[in-house]
Amino acid sequence: EEDRRQGSLPGSPTESPVQIRRSNSDTKNSDTKNGKKRIPVGLSEVAPSQLARHLHCVDFDLMAKVELHEYFTYFCRKKDPKYHLLTQHLDNWIHHWNSVSAWVISEILKDDTPRARANKIERLIDIAKHLKQLFSFNTLYAFVTGFNHSSVSRLKKTWDHVKSSSQTSLNDLEELMSNLENFGAYRKHLGKVSITVCKIPLLSLILRDIEFLNVNSPKLKNGLWNFGKTSAHKKQDIGYGKDTK
């Protein structure tokens, strides 16, 4: 039996980030309005394509609420007493990403046998493949990060039960989202995606690029942000289709 101690979990088991409304007939002790409440969806209850689409829609909704100024405020005004109010939508998006990554890890580790965990991994890989097809790169990276967490990657007996086809698919996804050459493979792939396609870029990379420009580019004498240096981001999707004029 593999070492699957509770201490290896990144916190307590995480609730599914996917929830649906169910009637009282499907739930117990429901006291919400209209006789329905949101219930977490189990991994086996929904097809991988549907689960991926739901995750994509949730991530897009969180991304769309972020105002452009929040990206720059995230680094430039941390001493402001109202800082968290100025970046609340961005903070929500970051928190969701962390929740999805923790959920992937928790889903795998909650099963008792290597075979069951392997089946769970294969299903999660199927979801990740659909996320790639949806150009949902941010959530895809959360999945890849979850697969590579030490508490999952060290389960040798579990990975021995994972189908070779699934492992090949995971290797392809890991190569796409690899941080080698400053996420070179991802940047090249993203550059080939049409601007008319709905896509969700990698949030952590956007924030890192902004921080790099902020640290290595001069500010104006009055301490304000030098918007001239943001021209370097024209090739990136920070605006994700919003009108930033």
Side-chain angles (χ1 to χ4, degrees), residues 200-245:
I200 304 179
L202 183 53
L203 172 60
S204 60
L205 187 57
I206 290 175
L207 295 177
R208 195 179 74 172
D209 286 349
I210 293 175
E211 182 178 24
F212 176 82
L213 288 175
N214 185 41
V215 171
N216 293 279
S217 300
K219 294 182 179 180
L220 298 180
K221 292 183 179 180
N222 57 8
L224 297 177
W225 181 273
N226 183 357
F227 278 92
K229 65 186 178 183
T230 63
S231 61
H233 278 282
K234 282 188 176 181
K235 295 182 180 180
Q236 300 298 322
D237 286 335
I238 295 177
Y240 47 80
K242 284 189 176 183
D243 183 5
T244 57
K245 294 182 179 180

Side-chain angles (χ1 to χ4, degrees), residues 48-49 52-53 56 125-137 140 173 176 189 193 197-199:
S49 59
R53 184 168 294 278
H56 174 78
I125 291 174
D126 285 340
I127 297 172
K129 289 163 58 178
H130 285 290
L131 288 169
K132 179 187 175 183
Q133 294 174 1
L134 292 168
F135 306 107
S136 191
F137 299 111
L140 171 59
L173 296 174
L176 173 63
H189 183 77
V193 181
V197 173
C198 174
K199 55 186 177 293

Side-chain angles (χ1 to χ4, degrees), residues 36-168:
K36 295 184 178 182
K37 64 182 297 186
R38 285 193 176 276
I39 301 296
V41 176
L43 196 59
S44 61
E45 295 182 72
V46 184
S49 59
Q50 292 178 312
L51 196 54
R53 184 168 294 278
H54 183 92
L55 288 168
H56 174 78
C57 291
V58 171
D59 210 37
F60 181 85
D61 182 62
L62 289 168
M63 178 185 70
K65 291 178 180 178
V66 181
E67 297 294 336
L68 189 60
H69 71 81
E70 293 188 50
Y71 293 102
F72 305 107
T73 303
Y74 188 77
F75 294 105
C76 301
R77 300 184 62 179
K78 288 188 175 182
K79 294 183 179 180
D80 192 314
K82 296 182 180 179
Y83 166 74
H84 294 293
L85 296 177
L86 297 172
T87 61
Q88 59 180 338
H89 297 116
L90 182 56
D91 290 337
N92 290 339
W93 193 15
I94 294 173
H95 175 73
H96 175 72
W97 188 94
N98 290 329
S99 297
V100 172
S101 182
W103 171 72
V104 170
I105 300 168
S106 181
E107 278 294 313
I108 296 171
L109 297 182
K110 69 168 56 173
D111 287 303
D112 295 325
T113 64
R115 173 69 69 179
R117 290 194 290 273
N119 291 337
K120 190 71 69 64
I121 289 174
E122 291 170 1
R123 193 166 185 84
L124 288 167
I125 291 174
D126 285 340
I127 297 172
K129 289 163 58 178
H130 285 290
L131 288 169
K132 179 187 175 183
Q133 294 174 1
L134 292 168
F135 306 107
S136 191
F137 299 111
N138 192 52
T139 304
L140 171 59
Y141 191 54
F143 270 64
V144 172
T145 301
F147 290 131
N148 284 277
H149 191 274
S150 60
S151 60
V152 174
S153 62
R154 66 185 175 84
L155 300 176
K156 185 179 183 302
K157 292 181 180 179
T158 294
W159 287 102
D160 287 343
H161 285 87
V162 177
K163 296 178 182 177
S164 58
S165 58
S166 294
Q167 296 204 35
T168 300

Side-chain angles (χ1 to χ4, degrees), residues 175-206:
E175 289 181 7
L176 173 63
M177 306 307 297
S178 171
N179 61 5
L180 294 177
E181 298 180 354
N182 194 19
F183 288 87
Y186 160 75
R187 292 181 190 272
K188 184 177 180 180
H189 183 77
L190 183 64
K192 294 179 179 179
V193 181
S194 172
I195 60 174
T196 61
V197 173
C198 174
K199 55 186 177 293
I200 304 179
L202 183 53
L203 172 60
S204 60
L205 187 57
I206 290 175

